[in-house]
Amino acid sequence: MSGQLRDVASELAGLLWREHTVYRDRAGGVVIRGEHVQRWISLASGGGRDEVLVRAGRILEGGTTAPARTEAVVHLSAGTGALATVCRRLLSETAATPTAPPRGGGRGGGGRRTPRGRAVSRGRHTSPASWVVVAAVVAVVGLYVATVAGWI
């Protein structure tokens, strides 16, 4: 079944998107990623012999995938065209569902985030405390040079 899934997924990917990536997931299913549309489709063997569980979801900022938002079971005997129709419906439902607002973090709430979810700082790069440390280091080095030179 997994070899058949890979063949079906490759053909389906060509019908859905011009730009796509097809790969096998850990569970033995096949995933089709459309980076340019920020969506993914997953095909896994369903309960029956000729059935495929199709899931659709979003690709989040940073390239990680969100959990599936919609899913359906399709018979492979229906053909790739019918499978593509179901996938398009699932993708449109995925696009229509609202996303959760970005989690607020730090000052000012949202803002840009790194792929691991940390807020990207804006504004000042060096804090006043850092300038105090730099000034103290310069003073200690200056005092050392003055004592070695015999000025003090």
Side-chain angles (χ1 to χ4, degrees):
M1 180 70 165
S2 64
Q4 184 182 9
L5 271 181
R6 177 76 177 186
D7 295 338
V8 169
S10 297
E11 188 177 341
L12 179 64
L15 290 174
L16 294 175
W17 301 307
R18 285 180 287 160
E19 301 172 30
H20 58 270
T21 305
V22 178
Y23 61 92
R24 189 172 309 280
D25 68 357
R26 291 182 189 144
V30 181
V31 178
I32 307 167
R33 285 176 67 107
E35 296 287 341
H36 63 292
V37 292
Q38 297 295 302
R39 301 283 183 268
W40 59 267
I41 290 281
S42 168
L43 303 175
S45 50
R49 191 167 126 155
D50 190 32
E51 293 179 343
V52 174
L53 175 63
V54 182
R55 294 180 175 158
R58 294 181 174 196
I59 299 174
L60 302 175
E61 197 172 313
T64 60
T65 57
R69 291 187 177 262
T70 56
E71 60 182 44
V73 176
V74 181
H75 292 280
L76 284 179
S77 59
T80 310
L83 183 59
T85 304
V86 170
C87 288
R88 286 186 184 110
R89 180 180 55 83
L90 293 176
L91 289 168
S92 67
E93 289 175 9
T94 300
T97 56
T99 60
R103 290 183 294 163
R107 296 170 289 165
R112 280 188 352 158
R113 294 198 154 317
T114 64
R116 293 190 182 207
R118 295 189 202 115
V120 175
S121 65
R122 295 183 183 180
R124 260 193 314 237
H125 293 284
T126 309
S127 68
S130 297
W131 285 113
V132 169
V133 170
V134 169
V137 169
V138 168
V140 168
V141 170
L143 185 61
Y144 174 76
V145 170
T147 54
V148 169
W151 297 335
I152 296 181

